Amino acid sequence: MDGADEFMKYRSPLVSRYASKEMAYNFSDRKKFTTWRKLWIYLAKAEKSLGLPITEAQIQEMESHQKDIDFAMAAEEERKLRHDVMAHVHTFAHCCPTAAPIIHLGATSCYVGDNTDLIVLRDGFDILLPKLARVIDRLANFAETYADLPTLGFTHYQPAQLTTVGKRACLWLQDLTMDIRNLQRARDDLRFRGVKGTTGTQASFLQLFQGDHDKVEELDRLVTEMASFQKSYLVTGQTYSRKVDVDCLSSLASLGATVHKVSCRSWRHIEMLPPCGHSRQCASACRSRNPMRSEPDPLQTASVQWLERTLDDSANRRISLAESFLTADIILSTLQNISEGLVVYPKVIERHIRQELPFMATENIIMAVVKAGGNRQDCHEKIRVLSQEAAAVVKQEGGDNDLLARVQKDPYFAPILGQLDAILEPKTFIGRAPQQVARFLSEEVRPLLEPYRSKMDVKIELEL
């Protein structure tokens, strides 16, 4: 095909613009079909070791042609056979004439299809996990830096008691640490489909080995080990249970929810912005961080995968599995890029605090007046009236909060005027936020990152 012809058909922007080369390759045809050939080689090796009439020359022939796939021939074979696995069996056999009789011996199409999917899912998690760890590391550093910088807290989108910038970052981090545990668990829970046959009963292999159940079990174990899995599923139909896909993509959907929460919209409220090399880059960074959403395909597929297999999962799994991982990949790359250069504006934060803190400090003012000999009920009424007047200036006139000026002008508060600066010191309103940040980072975040320490220095250069 002429290279220009590539631009005559739709190309997924997830691959052409966003996802990393590693993740794009993980879901590529090259990875898929070379993995099929690896699996045929594993099967032949295991069958040979257990006594089937397969020669070393046949295996060496297969190994020597594992990567030289004639994609044009495979496409032509598929047009004739209407079956992708058999098309590639024929294509592999064409360059391995000696091994042709034993390629795919005893197997069904899901031997290569499903086992490859499980390998790709595992490898996809292995790409995502270090990226997520780096995001957590960068945000942990950010939280540590701003652990004691007061900022407005919000409940129901309304200004509430002060928190700190670092403490709010820890709220994001807490969700992200749950996500990394979820992804790691989903990855570690993956098993191999193994060598199970047409309906999962291993009947074809039992026949090959003359009814020797031990050899059939050993065949399953050997191939599983060659594919670097600890275990295979003990029972399958023709396919592994599609609940496995649900489990994997649910962890990505949960990550998507977290990233949506850690969004540009939230940053506006804490007076910070993502890094911007120039306006175009900034716009792209904000746009491309829309969260991935898990479509209902995996759940629907799992629920209607009746009996030993139906064929309704073939098309949508080609889309839902790949695109979920590809989207999660660019999200994490972008989030790392942003978290490495977050810019905080303390003066803007200070101005926002000044606008709201007098309202929050009224109880402290009342307590100071009482300590100075005043009556709580009288003081409460004075504060209530002045607060309503100041609120009217803010809400009806668009002015600044002048409650403090009103308090300073009222002779009733003369005994405590010298204490007002101390009463209104923002750091007296942040509670144990700095201590919570320190403990959370040391006990829960940093230990979680240890397995990824060797991959922590990777920088992300976005090519959007």
Side-chain angles (χ1 to χ4, degrees):
M1 177 182 288
D2 189 313
D5 289 345
E6 284 297 307
F7 298 96
M8 299 297 289
K9 60 185 180 181
Y10 175 76
R11 296 186 302 163
S12 168
L14 287 172
V15 174
S16 62
R17 283 181 64 88
Y18 298 125
S20 66
K21 292 178 181 178
E22 296 82 4
M23 191 63 82
Y25 174 73
N26 190 49
F27 287 93
S28 69
D29 282 351
R30 172 71 64 181
K31 168 75 174 278
K32 177 180 179 179
F33 297 129
T34 55
T35 303
W36 284 12
R37 292 190 174 187
K38 280 184 184 179
L39 289 167
W40 284 322
I41 293 167
Y42 296 159
L43 181 63
K45 283 183 173 181
E47 289 175 336
K48 176 181 180 295
S49 72
L50 292 169
L52 291 188
I54 296 172
T55 68
E56 186 61 32
Q58 288 174 312
I59 291 173
Q60 288 180 3
E61 184 181 54
M62 293 167 70
E63 289 181 327
S64 67
H65 293 286
Q66 185 212 320
K67 295 181 180 179
D68 58 340
I69 299 173
D70 187 335
F71 286 97
M73 176 183 289
E76 180 59 30
E77 289 288 340
E78 186 169 354
R79 275 191 289 273
K80 292 188 296 185
L81 301 171
R82 308 297 293 174
H83 195 288
D84 56 350
V85 173
M86 292 314 300
H88 278 269
V89 169
H90 285 218
T91 303
F92 198 17
H94 179 77
C95 58
C96 299
T98 303
I102 57 93
I103 293 173
H104 199 68
L105 183 60
T108 186
S109 59
C110 283
Y111 166 69
V112 288
D114 271 32
N115 281 324
T116 294
D117 285 345
L118 291 161
I119 290 170
V120 167
L121 290 174
R122 180 192 62 190
D123 294 351
F125 280 124
D126 286 343
I127 295 170
L128 292 180
L129 282 162
K131 291 190 173 192
L132 180 49
R134 289 195 293 271
V135 169
I136 292 171
D137 176 72
R138 284 18 171 206
L139 285 177
N141 294 338
F142 176 84
E144 189 171 46
T145 300
Y146 295 102
D148 62 353
L149 179 62
T151 190
L152 284 179
F154 287 83
T155 62
H156 309 290
Y157 258 10
Q158 301 300 312
Q161 193 174 64
L162 300 190
T163 185
T164 68
V165 172
K167 170 63 188 297
R168 180 171 288 137
C170 283
L171 298 180
W172 304 337
L173 281 165
Q174 182 165 248
D175 288 357
L176 288 168
T177 58
M178 294 172 69
D179 289 319
I180 199 169
R181 286 194 292 266
N182 286 341
L183 265 63
Q184 187 68 60
R185 179 203 53 75
R187 188 256 186 238
D188 292 345
D189 280 354
L190 286 172
R191 297 188 185 187
F192 204 48
R193 177 190 175 273
V195 184
K196 297 297 194 294
T198 306
T199 60
T201 65
Q202 299 175 304
S204 59
F205 297 103
L206 194 63
Q207 185 175 359
L208 279 174
F209 288 104
Q210 307 295 318
D212 191 327
H213 290 267
D214 290 339
K215 284 191 174 181
V216 174
E217 286 209 6
E218 182 65 4
L219 177 71
D220 200 357
R221 189 195 68 78
L222 286 172
V223 175
T224 297
E225 185 179 83
M226 290 179 194
S228 301
F229 280 83
Q230 298 296 316
K231 296 179 179 180
S232 67
Y233 297 107
L234 295 180
V235 293
T236 71
Q238 186 176 79
T239 68
Y240 67 81
S241 171
R242 295 316 186 217
K243 289 280 283 186
V244 175
D245 295 346
V246 173
D247 197 32
C248 292
L249 298 200
S250 291
S251 69
L252 299 187
S254 184
L255 171 63
T258 300
V259 177
H260 186 277
K261 182 175 171 180
V262 188
S263 65
C264 292
R265 296 174 183 86
S266 297
W267 294 335
R268 299 298 193 268
H269 285 289
I270 64 167
E271 305 86 10
M272 55 191 282
L273 289 172
C276 293
H278 48 77
S279 59
R280 169 66 179 165
Q281 180 184 9
C282 184
S284 296
C286 290
R287 273 201 309 276
S288 62
R289 291 191 59 266
N290 289 333
M292 60 80 65
R293 301 284 189 155
S294 178
E295 295 296 329
D297 289 351
L299 286 169
Q300 180 174 340
T301 299
S303 67
V304 300
Q305 186 76 312
W306 299 323
L307 304 177
E308 280 65 51
R309 188 197 182 187
T310 50
L311 200 57
D312 47 10
D313 72 332
S314 181
N316 70 44
R317 290 182 69 253
R318 298 172 193 263
I319 298 170
S320 61
L321 295 179
E323 296 205 350
S324 293
F325 275 83
L326 289 163
T327 309
D329 180 70
I330 180 55
I331 281 175
L332 290 175
S333 295
T334 310
L335 189 54
Q336 178 185 334
N337 177 262
I338 289 171
S339 61
E340 287 175 344
L342 285 173
V343 180
V344 174
Y345 297 98
K347 293 299 182 182
V348 177
I349 292 176
E350 184 180 333
R351 184 176 74 246
H352 290 169
I353 289 175
R354 284 201 306 269
Q355 291 171 348
E356 300 293 342
L357 190 58
F359 292 137
M360 300 176 192
T362 53
E363 183 62 29
N364 295 29
I365 293 173
I366 291 172
M367 294 301 296
V369 169
V370 171
K371 287 182 180 179
N375 179 280
R376 178 179 177 82
Q377 283 69 35
D378 293 342
C379 184
H380 187 278
E381 180 60 20
K382 284 276 190 182
I383 286 289
R384 187 186 68 81
V385 172
L386 295 180
S387 295
Q388 287 182 341
E389 293 172 353
V393 171
V394 173
K395 296 174 182 178
Q396 297 174 18
E397 301 175 18
D400 293 332
N401 183 347
D402 63 356
L403 175 59
L404 181 58
R406 292 175 185 274
V407 168
Q408 290 171 328
K409 290 178 183 178
D410 193 318
Y412 179 83
F413 296 98
I416 65 158
L417 290 183
Q419 304 175 42
L420 281 180
D421 286 344
I423 291 172
L424 292 168
E425 167 54 47
K427 289 193 175 182
T428 65
F429 290 83
I430 61 175
R432 298 190 65 253
Q435 291 75 21
Q436 289 179 352
V437 170
R439 184 178 179 189
F440 175 66
L441 295 181
S442 66
E443 293 185 18
E444 296 197 23
V445 177
R446 302 296 188 195
L448 202 60
L449 299 179
E450 280 305 312
Y452 309 97
R453 190 57 56 190
S454 64
K455 300 179 180 179
M456 206 56 71
D457 293 335
V458 178
K459 291 286 185 180
I460 294 293
E461 296 295 334
L462 294 180
E463 299 177 2
L464 300 178

